[in-house]
Amino acid sequence: MSAFFEAVGNVAFAAQILRVATPILLAALGATIASQAGCLNMGLEGIMLFAALTGVYVSSMTQNASWGAWAGLLAALAVGALLGALLAYLVLHLKTDATLAGVAINVIGSNATVFLMYVWTGSPGTSASQKSYVLPTVSIPVIRDIPVVGTVFSGQNVVTYMAFALVAALAFFLYRTPLGLRIRGVGLNPGAADSVGINVVGVKYLAYVLSGVLAAMGGAFMSMGYVSWFARDMTAGRGFIALAAQAMGRSTPVGSMLSSIFFGFTMALSNSMQSLSIPFELIEAMPYACTILALSAYAYQQTRKKKQSSGG
Amino acid sequence: MEEILRVEHLTKVYENGILANDNVSISVNRGEIHAICGENGAGKSTLMKVLFGLEQPEQGDIFVKGEPVRIQSPSAAIKLGIGMVHQHFMLVDRLTVAENVVLGNEPRRGILIDREAACRVTEELGRKYNLEVDPTALVADISVGLKQRVEIIKALLRGAEILILDEPTAVLTSQETRELFEELRHLRDAGHTILFISHKLDEVKALCNRVTIMRGGRTLGTYELEGLSKSDISRMMVGRDVVLKIEKEPASPGAVELSVRGVEYWSELGKKMIDGVSFDVRRGEILCIAGVEGNGQRELVELITGLRSGGAGSAKLRGTELLGRPIRAARKLGMAHIPSDRMVYGVASSQSVKFNILAGKVEDARYTGKLLFRDRAIDRDMEALARAYTVKCTSADQTVGMLSGGNIQKVVVAREMSQEATLLVADQPTRGIDVGAAEFIRRRIVEMRDAGVAILLITADLNEALELSDSIVILHGGKVVAYFADTRALTEEEMGYYMLGVKSQTPEEVEGAVHAS
Amino acid sequence: MHHDLSGQSAGNEALNPSAQQQRDPHRGPAGKGGGLGAPRDINSRFELIRMLVAILIGIAITALVIFAVSDTPLESLRYMFIGPATTPRYFFNVLELMLPLVFTGVAISLCFSAQQFNLTAEGIFFFGGMVAAVAAITTKLPDGLHPFFCILLAGLAGGVIGAIPGLLKYRWNASELVISLMLNYVCFSVSMYVIKNHFRDKDAGAIVSYLFEKTAVLDKVVAKYRLTTGGVVLAAAVCLLAYLFMYKTRWGFSVRAAGANMNFTRYTGLNVAFAVIGSQVLSGVVAGMGGAVEMLSMFTRFQWAALTGYGWDGVIVAIFARNNPRHVPLAALFLAYLRIGADIMMRRTGVQMEIVKVIQAIMIVLLVAESFLAKTRHRMVVREATRESIVAEEVA
């Protein structure tokens, strides 16, 4: 047990939670904005992979240590936007089932990235042979000097700070701006939105595109922050976890953040448990099992509420 | 009086070939409350949809303030100063009142929504027109009457001068209705024009200045309400254009099959939709539940057939309670049911004709052994049924969704009528289908009656009610207001009086619907 | 049950068309159909055309990409499309790959038929492999019986897991999609836990289990190849039984009805609970069995380290097979052939085989996009309708 506390109780562990939670959080925010507009983005995983590869490739092509990584990030975001638009086109215009369209994007993402990486590097496993750049970490003055707090909150990758800033930005966007109101209106009652002259399909397009951009940022972090290369299927299901985080967070930015941190905690825990004799697989399964329980509890509560209101 | 809206020779044909508006003309003056009255299917709603840009007419002209206009979308209608309060509110429950009011039209402060301004305009409009409502409340939490106010405020904020209200009182309690009328009069006095669609004659008399009567897709004329009696309106509304004749012998009713006692039902919004309804359906008789839509027959038939749960009272099929039991049980007891909405309930439209007809008989020993279906019997009999019910299809393997409305309805009828049922609930069995298919289905219903099946018919079509049924129960406001044991002497005018609430029978007369068993 | 009325009800009369009922001149001969398959008409013809177009587009894109990246494009293409048929080894590879795809394809077809987007097949396949492995290590049974006991156990475990999203959906309307995605990870982690902590062979270098009992391993069709007789027989049996279930029984009927229109299913008094829960349980059983067959055919000890992806492939197979188990073997063969072809191409000419999975995904999008080729469908329907009305006029 003492080994457990040693692993969990140190500050490096707390810092690791934030790091591990970052890609999940970004993708969960992507799922959130889609869901707020009444759309399902099942393709987060594939979008993240494409973005991760794009980021590494573009940064590597620039051969520039000072802004190469930033160019990579921008390119990754652009690819995310494109894929979001593609998904929107499949779902809204070609009337493809959103689940199957997402599954297709994931299959394509998982395999096309390997194919392209091979064409680029000649290796089907990782892109480590090519020099690429990572996004910088940020050392925050004042905070970095505070013991404990400094270790946790300073020195994180810039994308981690962006992710948490985006929680606030997204909440602000959804709840305080006219466009945010329209997105929520479209998601909650498309008929009502339509009756006041809102372009429902246009708003959904926008939500898919923004969703793609957010997921792409999470993907870019994977290959240009979390590690410094692209690897086959490196997102390892984070896109699906993000969907669960969004569902558990009831499609709100803050809720998605909390559940992402929860996932980050359990993943960091299973990482640091690897050296111990505790069966980390069971710890690894915990967040998923908890999600199932949380979703069931929520569904149960909704059913009861409905029953009560319709009971004569 | 200045004319604000004029429609000339407007014709609207729906894709399924139904002529919903046929050379409709109407003129509306500024500052009046103008009623549009007509039976179900008279074309009122279509006309309003055309005016609000939700449907495009085939022919005809629309003039707003003397200018010819084309209204191609709701936004275009809004720009012309036309606002609409839909029967089913177009509100987002989880947003606040103020957010709903400004949605799509948000006041801004920089990049933000100016929430204070949103609340302020909501409140200002509310004060000005006597439509006060708390702008910060969630729409989900407010009453139906208040929701309607929000809808009116929404329209006013967008500059509506002409306000269309589609059966606005259908969901309101009488107290809320009185308040609404106050608000509408206030709006009229402020110079707004109101188109009030209703078939509640009391309300029309109490509120409106003039009335335009529609029947069978045409306008019969516009009349000053002063000097017009409710009976006059009723007579014009329900007059028959085509007299339908169905050959049938007088009924010889047998034992009671379905007995309904004291059924009550409250809507989710807390309105009492059915209020102590009792009647019996006997074998070998067609009992019709007639009434203007929205008077409880929808809820009643859904309770009896099990599509809806909740409610109080009892409905027994040969002594076995149906209310609150699964549909499976009722069907096993011998109930067949032609639902009012064939696409929602009646068919699995992506499956074949065969599949759809078999759906009610999968446990029939003729078609299934212990484990496997008897394919040969299924192929033979389903094909034969499709043919017997004159379903026009290339084969019984054709997708149902590709058939015409009348043929889809025949598939439903083929399934339900071949069920060996003892009770057939026929809910709007011929709505929206061609004359030939309708006649066929009616004749089949009479044949089933003659074979001793008890038939409960629900129809909004007066022709059908009078010609097809042996006895009639009329619902108004969720109550049985009349029972006619024999329909032969009954006229449509007389029915109209009861359906529209002009007359009602004594409790003793209504008791006639309950037979000693 | 209503003897008082049977014989005089309108239903029986209806089966004897009376003279007044006109005969429809355009109807084909009665009995031309056979049972209760999917509708057969202009729509199904259109679906076939659409599938061919999708496959052609897929192949065209593959060819284009190969021309773009390969130094020897023609040779690459030849390996890709003809390679698997050139040697017995390659062909057996195709069949070996086809087996798991058949199982997951049937599993996904079962729940997709009821419009239940349960994707647990991925996790259950893995879990089933683990259960079979454990049973193969710990139990001692006679030769012929042992593998089937292991497979049965895996199927049962799969059914239990499949029931979870089913029950939650039916009782509380919880999204089976997200729950099944989460269950996949739970299945994976729990399986790895069991193997690593209880059955790990510490003498072996990698994380693998002890060797299976010899009796538990399925017998090979031909000693050289890993294709097993038991696997083939079971896969065929699963397809046949699933087909019979779905198209020839009343329970399968309710599953398909629920997939087409849930309101209709409830209204006609069909068994909605079975349609929702039963379809997912059966799907789990098949996926679990699939994992077990794969484990006892291809391996002698548990050595999976990651989810296999066969569950996702099952989605592609099911879409190609239009959720009909009868078409699953063909769809699985098609997929397996392409994959092995791509694999040969990769090994011979260095073009990465992932391209073929990309193409498969593009093909399924074209297959499920309702508006793809909508104009062609419309033209076909119009042509059919005008042809019919001409016939009608002639008859009149």
Side-chain angles (χ1 to χ4, degrees):
Chain A
M1 232 22 200
S2 64
F4 174 84
F5 286 112
E6 212 166 279
V8 175
N10 68 40
V11 277
F13 180 75
Q16 205 198 347
I17 292 176
L18 296 185
R19 200 169 83 95
V20 174
T22 299
I24 297 173
L25 171 57
L26 284 163
L29 291 179
T32 297
I33 193 165
S35 161
Q36 287 274 357
C39 302
L40 169 69
N41 186 349
M42 201 33 208
L44 295 168
E45 181 85 0
I47 295 174
M48 288 173 84
L49 282 168
F50 266 117
L53 178 66
T54 308
V56 169
Y57 176 72
V58 171
S59 82
S60 169
M61 286 298 122
T62 59
Q63 304 261 328
N64 184 309
S66 62
W67 51 265
W70 291 104
L73 177 65
L74 273 182
L77 299 187
V79 164
L82 270 177
L83 288 171
L86 173 67
L87 195 56
Y89 177 75
L90 292 178
V91 174
L92 303 171
H93 277 105
L94 288 186
K95 308 241 180 298
T96 313
D97 179 275
T99 307
L100 296 178
V103 169
I105 296 264
N106 292 338
V107 172
I108 295 174
S110 161
N111 293 287
T113 49
V114 175
F115 186 83
L116 294 171
M117 173 174 66
Y118 182 81
V119 171
W120 171 36
T121 66
S123 152
T126 78
S127 71
S129 63
Q130 304 290 316
K131 169 100 188 109
S132 66
Y133 305 97
V134 294
L135 291 156
T137 54
V138 180
S139 174
I140 308 174
V142 185
I143 288 183
R144 71 180 163 213
D145 302 325
I146 308 172
V148 184
V149 175
T151 327
V152 177
F153 294 103
S154 180
Q156 295 277 1
N157 190 283
V158 63
V159 179
T160 301
Y161 296 108
M162 286 162 88
F164 284 89
L166 275 169
V167 174
L170 190 61
F172 183 82
F173 173 67
L174 283 172
Y175 299 109
R176 291 277 189 273
T177 67
L179 196 52
L181 180 66
R182 289 177 190 193
I183 287 178
R184 289 189 297 143
V186 165
L188 293 166
N189 186 345
D194 191 44
S195 78
V196 292
I198 292 174
N199 178 353
V200 173
V201 171
V203 167
K204 289 190 167 194
Y205 248 99
L206 178 80
Y208 267 123
V209 168
L210 291 178
S211 174
V213 170
L214 286 166
M217 190 182 270
F221 173 75
M222 290 299 296
S223 64
M224 296 195 294
Y226 198 78
V227 294
S228 60
W229 60 83
F230 178 83
R232 162 196 286 266
D233 286 326
M234 72 186 304
T235 48
R238 284 178 174 79
F240 300 129
I241 298 168
L243 272 184
Q246 166 250 316
M248 219 159 92
R250 313 267 168 89
S251 299
T252 64
V254 174
S256 299
M257 177 184 76
L258 294 177
S259 39
S260 298
I261 291 177
F262 169 68
F263 279 114
F265 170 76
T266 50
M267 286 172 92
L269 194 63
S270 59
N271 282 348
S272 50
M273 290 282 152
Q274 281 185 29
S275 52
L276 307 175
S277 58
I278 301 169
F280 88 97
E281 290 86 4
L282 293 187
I283 298 164
E284 205 175 45
M286 210 173 64
Y288 308 112
C290 288
T291 308
I292 294 171
L293 289 179
L295 290 178
S296 309
Y298 179 63
Y300 169 71
Q301 181 202 343
Q302 292 294 99
T303 315
R304 273 194 52 170
K305 228 188 207 156
K306 223 172 163 189
K307 265 206 188 123
Q308 274 165 3
S309 73
S310 73
Chain B
M1 272 279 184
E2 181 200 350
E3 183 183 67
I4 189 162
L5 173 74
R6 182 152 49 95
V7 173
E8 283 182 357
H9 313 300
L10 185 128
T11 299
K12 168 73 199 170
V13 186
Y14 281 109
E15 264 186 40
N16 56 12
I18 288 174
L19 182 61
N21 277 177
D22 180 10
N23 198 12
V24 163
S25 297
I26 180 174
S27 159
V28 180
N29 292 333
R30 184 186 287 279
E32 71 170 337
I33 303 184
H34 191 119
I36 314 258
C37 287
E39 270 189 84
N40 300 113
K44 303 166 299 209
S45 291
T46 302
L47 177 59
M48 296 307 123
K49 281 183 185 159
V50 168
L51 289 178
F52 195 58
L54 293 165
E55 298 284 355
Q56 299 306 311
E58 268 67 41
Q59 279 169 34
D61 303 300
I62 303 171
F63 301 88
V64 175
K65 295 176 206 159
E67 297 289 317
V69 293
R70 296 193 63 194
I71 309 173
Q72 288 181 314
S73 68
S75 339
I78 291 166
K79 284 208 188 77
L80 290 166
I82 301 173
M84 182 151 175
V85 175
H86 298 264
Q87 208 175 349
H88 305 284
F89 299 138
M90 293 292 187
L91 294 174
V92 185
D93 275 355
R94 283 162 61 190
L95 298 183
T96 66
V97 167
E99 284 172 327
N100 267 284
V101 168
V102 301
L103 182 64
N105 222 344
E106 304 85 359
R108 289 160 198 247
R109 196 174 51 202
I111 58 160
L112 296 184
I113 295 180
D114 191 339
R115 285 184 165 181
E116 277 163 34
C119 289
R120 204 169 52 235
V121 294
T122 308
E123 267 172 347
E124 273 169 10
L125 276 171
R127 252 197 311 280
K128 186 168 166 197
Y129 294 108
N130 230 350
L131 293 162
E132 274 167 67
V133 53
D134 175 9
T136 58
L138 270 189
V139 165
D141 297 338
I142 63 177
S143 71
V144 185
L146 287 177
K147 283 183 187 165
Q148 201 161 45
R149 277 189 195 177
V150 177
E151 283 281 37
I152 297 174
I153 294 174
K154 265 171 72 180
L156 293 173
L157 178 76
R158 288 166 176 77
E161 293 173 72
I162 305 168
L163 206 55
I164 303 171
L165 288 100
D166 190 0
E167 300 191 24
T169 60
V171 289
L172 299 184
T173 62
S174 52
Q175 172 61 29
E176 286 171 328
T177 302
R178 273 196 298 279
E179 286 170 18
L180 172 70
F181 285 5
E182 271 316 301
E183 293 154 16
L184 293 180
R185 289 194 189 101
H186 199 273
L187 278 171
R188 174 189 60 193
D189 297 342
H192 291 270
T193 308
I194 292 158
L195 278 171
F196 185 82
I197 301 164
S198 179
H199 27 226
K200 296 188 179 169
L201 301 188
D202 283 326
E203 297 177 355
V204 169
K205 279 289 284 179
L207 179 69
C208 303
N209 305 90
R210 294 196 300 162
V211 58
T212 295
I213 311 245
M214 292 189 76
R215 195 170 80 201
R218 285 191 289 273
T219 36
L220 292 189
T222 302
Y223 308 90
E224 291 290 334
L225 271 163
E226 219 165 319
L228 202 64
S229 74
K230 285 193 281 180
S231 322
D232 295 332
I233 307 173
S234 161
R235 211 164 24 245
M236 287 191 277
M237 276 169 65
V238 299
R240 280 196 278 180
D241 298 309
V242 190
V243 176
L244 172 80
K245 273 286 159 217
I246 294 171
E247 303 284 326
K248 67 178 193 336
E249 300 293 313
S252 44
V256 168
E257 185 69 15
L258 174 73
S259 73
V260 175
R261 294 289 181 277
V263 170
E264 303 194 334
Y265 181 79
W266 290 264
S267 73
E268 274 180 40
L269 307 164
K271 189 183 181 187
K272 194 161 195 175
M273 300 303 292
I274 306 176
D275 190 358
V277 168
S278 300
F279 60 86
D280 286 322
V281 190
R282 294 167 293 178
R283 291 185 193 169
E285 95 171 326
I286 302 174
L287 175 78
C288 172
I289 305 279
V292 172
E293 233 156 83
N295 280 281
Q297 50 297 44
R298 168 92 295 105
E299 291 78 7
L300 181 63
V301 68
E302 288 184 1
L303 282 173
I304 293 172
T305 55
L307 289 177
R308 191 185 284 261
S309 56
S314 97
K316 288 182 175 157
L317 180 55
R318 287 198 313 281
T320 310
E321 183 61 54
L322 295 180
L323 296 193
R325 303 204 44 217
I327 297 174
R328 260 173 100 71
R331 284 189 171 266
K332 281 208 168 133
L333 278 170
M335 183 189 74
H337 173 204
I338 300 170
S340 63
D341 194 327
R342 57 182 162 269
M343 297 318 279
V344 172
Y345 291 107
V347 291
S349 59
S350 61
Q351 295 286 3
S352 65
V353 171
K354 205 192 264 179
F355 185 103
N356 275 278
I357 298 181
L358 183 72
K361 313 183 216 324
V362 290
E363 287 176 20
D364 187 328
R366 273 178 297 175
Y367 303 122
T368 184
K370 274 215 165 56
L371 282 175
L372 298 185
F373 279 139
R374 302 185 199 284
D375 274 346
R376 204 149 347 123
I378 289 174
D379 284 346
R380 186 189 62 223
D381 287 2
M382 299 310 123
E383 189 84 34
L385 277 171
R387 196 174 304 200
Y389 286 85
T390 69
V391 178
K392 201 173 169 192
C393 53
T394 48
S395 85
D397 284 314
Q398 195 174 3
T399 315
V400 161
M402 294 186 65
L403 305 179
S404 70
N407 280 302
I408 293 177
Q409 187 71 355
K410 283 184 196 168
V411 170
V412 175
V413 166
R415 179 183 62 234
E416 297 303 321
M417 287 192 175
S418 57
Q419 219 74 291
E420 299 192 9
T422 55
L423 169 70
L424 171 70
V425 179
D427 191 359
Q428 318 288 353
T430 63
R431 179 154 67 186
I433 63 177
D434 59 285
V435 183
E439 198 200 330
F440 176 84
I441 290 170
R442 290 181 186 128
R443 211 167 51 219
R444 283 304 195 151
I445 291 177
V446 173
E447 280 174 26
M448 278 192 87
R449 178 203 74 165
D450 294 343
V453 176
I455 292 170
L456 179 61
L457 171 72
I458 297 91
T459 181
D461 177 344
L462 282 192
N463 274 322
E464 190 169 86
L466 280 168
E467 287 305 320
L468 196 54
S469 58
D470 302 310
S471 41
I472 289 185
V473 163
I474 296 177
L475 289 185
H476 181 76
K479 285 193 171 91
V480 178
V481 293
Y483 170 71
F484 299 96
D486 190 343
T487 56
R488 278 171 298 182
L490 189 60
T491 64
E492 61 269 29
E493 281 95 351
E494 187 74 3
M495 268 190 87
Y497 293 147
Y498 290 100
M499 284 170 63
L500 295 163
V502 181
K503 287 166 84 174
S504 68
Q505 289 181 346
T506 63
E508 289 73 33
E509 286 173 295
V510 170
E511 277 286 300
V514 173
H515 305 281
S517 51
Chain C
M1 60 204 284
H2 313 297
H3 299 290
D4 51 334
L5 273 173
S6 65
Q8 53 164 320
S9 84
N12 283 352
E13 275 170 33
L15 291 176
N16 312 308
S18 49
Q20 51 164 344
Q21 283 140 12
Q22 58 173 53
R23 279 188 151 253
D24 186 339
H26 342 300
R27 199 195 309 283
K32 152 185 117 177
L36 284 162
R40 262 177 304 205
D41 55 14
I42 185 99
N43 255 338
S44 42
R45 288 208 292 284
F46 168 75
E47 295 299 340
L48 195 64
I49 290 176
R50 178 155 84 170
M51 185 165 306
L52 292 176
V53 171
I55 290 173
L56 280 179
I57 291 179
I59 289 173
I61 298 176
T62 318
L64 278 177
V65 174
I66 289 173
F67 268 98
V69 300
S70 174
D71 302 330
T72 52
L74 288 175
E75 203 180 336
S76 300
L77 278 173
R78 193 165 55 83
Y79 283 124
M80 162 104 208
F81 290 112
I82 302 170
T86 50
T87 72
R89 165 162 301 281
Y90 289 149
F91 193 69
F92 268 92
N93 284 342
V94 171
L95 296 181
E96 284 158 17
L97 178 59
M98 184 182 151
L99 279 195
L101 297 181
V102 165
F103 282 99
T104 53
V106 169
I108 296 285
S109 296
L110 279 165
C111 55
F112 274 24
S113 288
Q115 281 283 323
Q116 301 301 314
F117 284 114
N118 181 339
L119 300 171
T120 331
E122 177 73 33
I124 292 179
F125 190 88
F126 194 89
F127 196 83
M130 180 277 289
V131 169
V134 169
I137 293 165
T138 54
T139 59
K140 290 201 188 333
L141 282 169
D143 202 1
L145 205 62
H146 203 174
F148 297 101
F149 170 75
C150 301
I151 293 165
L152 186 73
L153 218 55
L156 285 178
V160 171
I161 298 171
I164 296 170
L167 274 169
L168 291 173
K169 173 69 174 282
Y170 180 73
R171 294 284 303 196
W172 302 326
N173 201 27
S175 158
E176 78 281 8
L177 178 69
V178 180
I179 289 189
S180 68
L181 290 174
M182 294 300 103
L183 265 179
N184 284 340
Y185 294 106
V186 176
C187 285
F188 171 74
S189 298
V190 171
S191 303
M192 290 310 284
Y193 163 75
V194 170
I195 294 297
K196 270 168 85 172
N197 289 277
H198 298 286
F199 300 98
R200 181 171 177 184
D201 186 349
K202 304 213 168 52
D203 300 333
I207 299 173
V208 295
S209 76
Y210 298 115
L211 284 169
F212 303 152
E213 291 287 331
K214 285 267 184 315
T215 49
V217 179
L218 286 162
D219 295 328
K220 311 292 184 226
V221 176
V222 183
K224 290 201 284 186
Y225 308 119
R226 292 194 288 180
L227 189 71
T228 55
T229 320
V232 173
V233 170
L234 273 178
V238 158
C239 282
L240 180 69
L241 289 176
Y243 168 72
L244 288 177
F245 165 77
M246 213 117 89
Y247 291 88
K248 305 286 178 193
T249 72
R250 47 198 186 277
W251 306 288
F253 187 94
S254 66
V255 167
R256 290 198 294 144
N261 181 347
M262 197 58 96
N263 284 323
F264 168 84
T265 312
R266 199 162 73 84
Y267 144 84
T268 46
L270 291 164
N271 194 337
V272 175
F274 178 82
V276 173
I277 305 171
S279 61
Q280 301 189 47
V281 169
L282 288 175
S283 165
V285 169
V286 173
M289 286 172 61
V293 168
E294 179 75 356
M295 183 55 63
L296 302 180
S297 296
M298 307 295 279
F299 307 100
T300 50
R301 52 171 34 146
F302 186 97
Q303 56 193 68
W304 283 336
L307 288 170
T308 58
Y310 289 132
W312 295 106
D313 293 337
V315 175
I316 301 180
V317 173
I319 289 168
F320 268 109
R322 300 232 146 258
N323 295 337
N324 184 344
R326 197 165 61 159
H327 302 147
V328 161
L330 188 63
L333 178 67
F334 175 65
L335 245 66
Y337 188 95
L338 284 184
R339 297 252 168 109
I340 295 299
D343 190 47
I344 299 168
M345 170 178 75
M346 176 166 84
R347 278 187 277 131
R348 293 300 177 88
T349 65
V351 177
Q352 284 296 297
M353 69 169 292
E354 277 71 20
I355 179 67
V356 64
K357 292 200 181 177
V358 174
I359 302 305
Q360 282 165 357
I362 292 174
M363 288 194 268
I364 66 160
V365 167
L366 297 179
L367 284 179
V368 294
E370 259 175 49
S371 304
F372 174 62
L373 294 182
K375 277 185 188 151
T376 310
R377 183 203 295 259
H378 186 70
R379 269 204 303 275
M380 280 174 70
V381 171
V382 168
R383 207 184 313 137
E384 173 100 350
T386 43
R387 194 173 61 82
E388 267 185 24
S389 69
I390 291 167
V391 174
E393 274 165 29
E394 280 167 1
V395 172

